[in-house]
Amino acid sequence: MNKKLLNKTLKTYLIYSVLILIISAPLFYYATKRLYTKEADDTLLLHKKEFLKYTASTLKYTDIALWNRFNRNAKIDSVKQVTKDTLFFSSYYDTLDAEVEPYRELNFPIILKGKSYTYSERINLVETEDLLKNIAILFFAIISILLFGLFFITKKLSLNLWKPFYKTLQQIESFEIDKTKQPDFAETDVEEFNRLNTSIQKLIERNTVIYKSQKEFIENAAHELQTPLAVFQVKIDTLIQRSDVTQEQSEILGSLNENVSRLNRLNKNLLLLSKMENDSYSDKQTISLTNYIQKNLDFFTEQAKAKSLIIKMELQKDFEIKSNPVLAEVLISNLFLNAIKHNIEGGQISIAMQENKLVFSNSGQPSPLNTDKLFKRFSKSNPSEQGTGLGLSIVKKIADINNWTVAYNYENNLHSFSILF
Amino acid sequence: MKLLLIEDEKELALSIQKYLTDKYFVCEWVDTAKAAIDKISIYDYDCILLDLMLPDGNGFEILKELKDQNKTEGIIIISAKETLETRIEGFNLGADDYLTKPFHLSELLVRVQALIRRKNFKGSNIVSFNEIHIDILSKAVKVNNNKIDITKKEIDLLLHLIGNENRVLSKSAIAEHLSGDMADMLDNHDFVYAHIKNLKKKLNEAGSGDYIKSVYGLGYKWKNE
């Protein structure tokens, strides 16, 4: 799936931030904890110094029990024997809170009046654990706010930054070489975007020029061909009048005649296509297709007779469209003649009008046609046939310039072409 | 009948001239607008065939000149230019018909005949050939004075054949004539055979001579027996 440019940068930011959070949170936690433990140790050691300096020298043997009684967190133990200072974690059951709580404890040996004891003192870590938790929460909160801020600022900034880019993109998207005029890109304050716009502008200009010259070429070529074609035609017409034409020559002339006539049709249809591209048929009127079909039905029926085709019609009383009259007639004739041409002996044609849809269906080859090529110029299902290969591309072109849709489908052995007006 | 052909393409002009010249027609040919205007000022013609693109000017100028001189010749424009605008301009300037290149000579001939018939119309408009009489206006055909049942298309075909008497008409020329505007889209010309067959049958049944001859590989010919 394609992602939007903006989301892509934001996503990278987000991943980076979450990663930093995940790594930094425990790091921060342990660093704080270490710091705090060190603080506790320092306190214990300070207490030890105080004890040795001020208390130990004055403490009597008999006072020990009393001293122990009034010092909840310090004890002088005669049973336990340690040889050196030891700092460690321990836990004791707190009767007040009714839970086991963590402590930091210092044990060290002392000699009182020649007798060795172990002095042990502990500091409750509970409060600091709470502190730690609070610090962690605060830390998370700050980082989150920072991240969100970053996220929105980046988003807004990028949006602004990429604005000319999206504008250009939209202009290119709506550009059609044969319809719209060239897009006019506004100057931006970013060098890269200006470069992009200039390059696109140049590209479009170049292509439009090529497109135009090609269009002109087709029209000019078709036009220029008309005079030699006319000479060709009349020369054959003259030649066939000769009385000394043999049967063999007559066959050759007949074939020449058919081909010059085909060439002629091809040329006329190419001219029609290029004229449509040049907007020569832009004036529109309201036309009744029903009338047109009925008016020319004799002609089509006559063409269908050769193949003994059955024509079924479901015409609406008044099926009106807005179009250039010449093009509307060409459209109907092409669809009708197409349905006749590609039909089978004794086949059928049906013409149906529904709301804003006209459908021509015909029997024909027993498999669906290749839709990729169907509406392309000079694509023929059977290359040897006499057709110009332009009929359906003319239909498509007429539909395109009127913003209609042409669709083909194959169902129940019928090939259907529908125009959605 | 005198025709003036104004056409700068020599090969085309010679063939047209040759085809149109027969017992009824004399066809003169000029290849510049200047020569055409000179001719028009001096002589009267029954019909003028005019190409629009000439080396020394536009065919429309000749039309204007004819109008200025109050000439009433029938004018058929023969041009490679095929836009609605040129057609309309041509008709507005007094042209009677418009034929786009390329065309069949037989088509040109029947157009000339039809135009002259219209111009010389004096109450009746009947084309006759031996026992066959065609009333163009009422679209009726009589053979030996008996009206026969015939379609519009068949009358059209009959006029095309008679108009091109003794000339070979190719199948495509007939097909293009009969299908009119639709000709450019029509790939199959086989329907001509059916029309010829029907027409032949109707004429024979009415007791007419067998004038329609098949020309092997090419088409048909109307020939007096």
Side-chain angles (χ1 to χ4, degrees):
Chain A
M1 206 183 83
N2 288 330
K3 293 175 200 79
K4 269 190 143 184
L5 187 72
L6 278 181
N7 297 349
K8 219 162 179 168
T9 29
L10 280 176
K11 203 181 149 195
T12 318
Y13 276 136
L14 210 70
I15 289 171
Y16 176 72
S17 314
V18 168
L19 263 176
I20 290 290
L21 254 179
I22 289 172
I23 295 168
S24 66
L27 265 177
F28 184 75
Y29 176 81
Y30 284 111
T32 321
K33 196 170 177 180
R34 251 185 83 115
L35 270 173
Y36 173 66
T37 312
K38 198 166 172 294
E39 192 59 40
D41 290 355
D42 285 349
T43 315
L44 286 171
L45 288 171
L46 190 74
H47 285 179
K48 174 194 165 185
K49 259 189 202 162
E50 274 174 12
F51 177 77
L52 289 178
K53 198 171 175 186
Y54 305 112
T55 319
S57 53
T58 58
L59 201 67
K60 287 181 198 135
Y61 176 72
T62 46
D63 294 335
I64 290 175
L66 190 72
W67 196 87
N68 276 348
R69 228 178 92 198
F70 288 105
N71 275 304
R72 213 171 108 79
N73 287 328
K75 265 190 178 57
I76 297 165
D77 198 335
S78 59
V79 184
K80 215 200 270 175
Q81 291 292 331
V82 288
T83 48
K84 58 176 175 48
D85 291 8
T86 41
L87 280 159
F88 57 91
F89 292 103
S90 58
S91 30
Y92 294 94
Y93 186 76
D94 188 332
T95 46
L96 280 174
D97 276 350
E99 59 182 11
V100 178
E101 291 191 339
Y103 286 87
R104 186 73 175 166
E105 197 170 327
L106 170 71
N107 288 358
F108 61 90
I110 48 162
I111 312 282
L112 291 173
K113 311 289 182 228
K115 201 171 181 303
S116 61
Y117 293 89
T118 297
Y119 178 91
S120 68
E121 189 181 344
R122 58 183 192 179
I123 287 179
N124 192 336
L125 292 176
V126 170
E127 286 160 22
T128 46
E129 290 233 321
D130 281 346
L131 186 74
L132 220 65
K133 259 184 218 154
N134 285 331
I135 289 172
I137 288 168
L138 204 67
F139 172 81
F140 265 103
I142 289 170
I143 290 230
S144 302
I145 289 167
L146 204 72
L147 275 180
F148 273 109
L150 207 68
F151 184 87
F152 285 113
I153 289 170
T154 316
K155 189 160 176 155
K156 220 177 142 68
L157 211 69
S158 304
L159 220 57
N160 257 326
L161 199 67
W162 287 100
K163 212 180 201 163
F165 175 77
Y166 285 110
K167 220 172 141 187
T168 304
L169 197 67
Q170 197 210 341
Q171 271 173 303
I172 304 171
E173 274 171 347
S174 60
F175 174 69
E176 281 174 78
I177 199 158
D178 56 337
K179 284 183 192 151
T180 39
K181 70 185 228 309
Q182 289 180 21
D184 196 15
F185 299 108
E187 187 85 6
T188 70
D189 53 1
V190 182
E191 196 209 324
E192 281 83 352
F193 288 143
N194 281 339
R195 259 171 64 198
L196 180 77
N197 287 350
T198 328
S199 319
I200 292 171
Q201 187 111 41
K202 267 189 198 152
L203 193 71
I204 287 176
E205 270 165 26
R206 240 191 339 258
N207 277 299
T208 313
V209 169
I210 292 170
Y211 178 78
K212 265 191 196 146
S213 72
Q214 203 159 33
K215 217 163 66 170
E216 273 166 23
F217 173 77
I218 296 172
E219 192 175 358
N220 290 343
H223 242 130
E224 289 304 314
L225 276 172
Q226 271 177 310
T227 306
L229 261 175
V231 175
F232 195 179
Q233 179 83 77
V234 298
K235 291 289 164 192
I236 290 174
D237 279 353
T238 312
L239 194 55
I240 61 175
Q241 306 309 330
R242 289 180 70 113
S243 52
D244 56 351
V245 176
T246 65
Q247 204 175 66
E248 194 195 347
Q249 288 165 341
S250 161
E251 269 178 57
I252 295 171
L253 284 171
S255 157
L256 271 176
N257 210 359
E258 262 166 42
N259 278 291
V260 73
S261 149
R262 187 171 157 195
L263 206 57
N264 190 5
R265 284 198 301 277
L266 201 65
N267 204 44
K268 287 249 178 78
N269 283 317
L270 275 178
L271 255 178
L272 176 71
L273 271 171
S274 57
K275 271 194 214 157
M276 277 194 263
E277 275 167 9
N278 289 335
D279 278 343
S280 302
Y281 297 100
S282 46
D283 55 313
K284 292 185 180 180
Q285 294 170 20
T286 306
I287 302 148
S288 163
L289 287 187
T290 321
N291 279 354
Y292 179 73
I293 291 176
Q294 256 145 12
K295 205 176 78 196
N296 291 284
L297 197 59
D298 281 350
F299 173 78
F300 296 122
T301 317
E302 178 181 81
Q303 296 298 320
K305 224 189 257 169
K307 277 184 175 170
S308 322
L309 304 176
I310 299 161
I311 302 176
K312 288 185 218 158
M313 290 196 295
E314 291 166 46
L315 300 186
Q316 279 172 18
K317 211 167 162 206
D318 250 312
F319 192 88
E320 286 184 336
I321 55 160
K322 231 177 146 54
S323 161
N324 178 280
V326 176
L327 293 188
E329 292 184 3
V330 171
L331 177 85
I332 298 295
S333 307
N334 268 313
L335 283 171
F336 217 139
L337 291 172
N338 186 64
I340 295 170
K341 191 165 78 184
H342 299 288
N343 224 314
I344 45 170
E345 192 66 38
Q348 56 155 311
I349 294 170
S350 78
I351 305 159
M353 285 171 168
Q354 310 150 354
E355 270 181 89
N356 57 345
K357 196 172 160 192
L358 178 69
V359 188
F360 276 83
S361 309
N362 64 281
S363 46
Q365 67 166 62
S367 58
L369 302 166
N370 183 350
T371 43
D372 293 343
K373 286 188 180 168
L374 205 52
F375 297 106
K376 292 238 169 74
R377 290 177 191 187
F378 303 120
S379 75
K380 292 194 236 173
S381 51
N382 173 12
S384 63
E385 74 186 25
Q386 283 284 304
T388 56
L390 290 173
L392 283 176
S393 62
I394 289 175
V395 167
K396 179 88 168 68
K397 187 83 208 170
I398 295 174
D400 281 351
I401 60 175
N402 282 294
N403 293 321
W404 303 331
T405 330
V406 197
Y408 163 78
N409 74 321
Y410 179 71
E411 217 172 88
N412 302 329
N413 292 322
L414 286 177
H415 302 269
S416 300
F417 290 89
S418 48
I419 313 279
L420 203 67
F421 297 101
Chain B
M1 301 270 174
K2 251 170 80 182
L3 309 179
L4 178 64
L5 170 64
I6 307 163
E7 164 68 61
D8 64 327
E9 182 68 42
K10 190 184 165 200
E11 289 302 320
L12 196 61
L14 288 176
S15 293
I16 293 172
Q17 198 179 24
K18 188 163 179 239
Y19 196 89
L20 294 186
T21 306
D22 68 358
K23 54 187 171 184
Y24 302 112
F25 293 124
V26 177
C27 184
E28 288 180 15
W29 165 50
V30 290
D31 60 358
T32 58
K34 194 183 167 296
I37 290 169
D38 287 348
K39 283 258 181 195
I40 291 162
S41 320
I42 308 167
Y43 307 105
D44 284 327
Y45 294 92
D46 294 286
C47 180
I48 294 170
L49 305 174
L50 174 65
D51 182 15
L52 287 181
M53 282 183 281
L54 295 165
D56 61 339
N58 192 311
F60 289 136
E61 288 161 25
I62 298 172
L63 286 176
K64 280 174 201 151
E65 184 68 32
L66 280 166
K67 228 179 179 179
D68 290 346
Q69 294 189 19
N70 290 321
K71 295 264 184 179
T72 55
E73 272 99 341
I75 300 153
I76 299 177
I77 293 175
I78 45 171
S79 174
K81 247 192 195 166
E82 226 269 276
T83 64
L84 201 59
E85 288 76 32
T86 47
R87 260 174 196 265
I88 290 170
E89 192 175 355
F91 287 128
N92 282 343
L93 286 170
D96 298 278
D97 205 347
Y98 198 109
L99 195 57
T100 319
K101 287 179 190 172
F103 49 79
H104 284 283
L105 291 172
S106 55
E107 182 68 33
L108 180 64
L109 179 56
V110 291
R111 299 254 189 139
V112 171
Q113 290 164 343
L115 180 59
I116 290 173
R117 267 203 309 272
R118 283 206 302 276
K119 289 270 166 193
N120 299 342
F121 175 66
K122 288 183 195 83
S124 77
N125 202 345
I126 289 179
V127 175
S128 296
F129 187 89
N130 294 350
E131 69 278 14
I132 304 169
H133 302 281
I134 309 161
D135 190 326
I136 313 274
L137 284 182
S138 65
K139 302 275 175 206
V141 177
K142 280 182 183 169
V143 177
N144 295 324
N145 269 326
N146 294 318
K147 210 173 157 209
I148 62 169
D149 180 28
I150 194 167
T151 66
K152 261 200 246 170
K153 270 261 158 79
E154 283 158 358
I155 296 177
D156 203 6
L157 179 59
L158 186 58
L159 281 171
H160 198 68
L161 284 162
I162 293 176
N164 285 283
E165 188 195 343
N166 283 326
R167 291 179 171 108
V168 178
L169 288 177
S170 63
K171 217 164 72 175
S172 46
I174 298 173
E176 280 162 35
H177 175 75
L178 291 182
S179 47
D181 289 342
M182 228 74 90
D184 298 342
M185 287 167 272
L186 201 60
D187 300 324
N188 190 316
H189 293 162
D190 292 342
F191 70 102
V192 170
Y193 173 73
H195 278 303
I196 292 276
K197 204 178 75 181
N198 288 342
L199 181 63
K200 237 177 158 168
K201 203 175 138 206
K202 283 178 185 176
L203 290 176
N204 283 349
E205 277 170 1
S208 140
D210 191 13
Y211 303 118
I212 304 173
K213 311 284 180 203
S214 288
V215 182
Y216 184 82
L218 281 171
Y220 305 92
K221 188 184 209 174
W222 184 269
K223 203 176 172 206
N224 203 348
E225 282 166 310

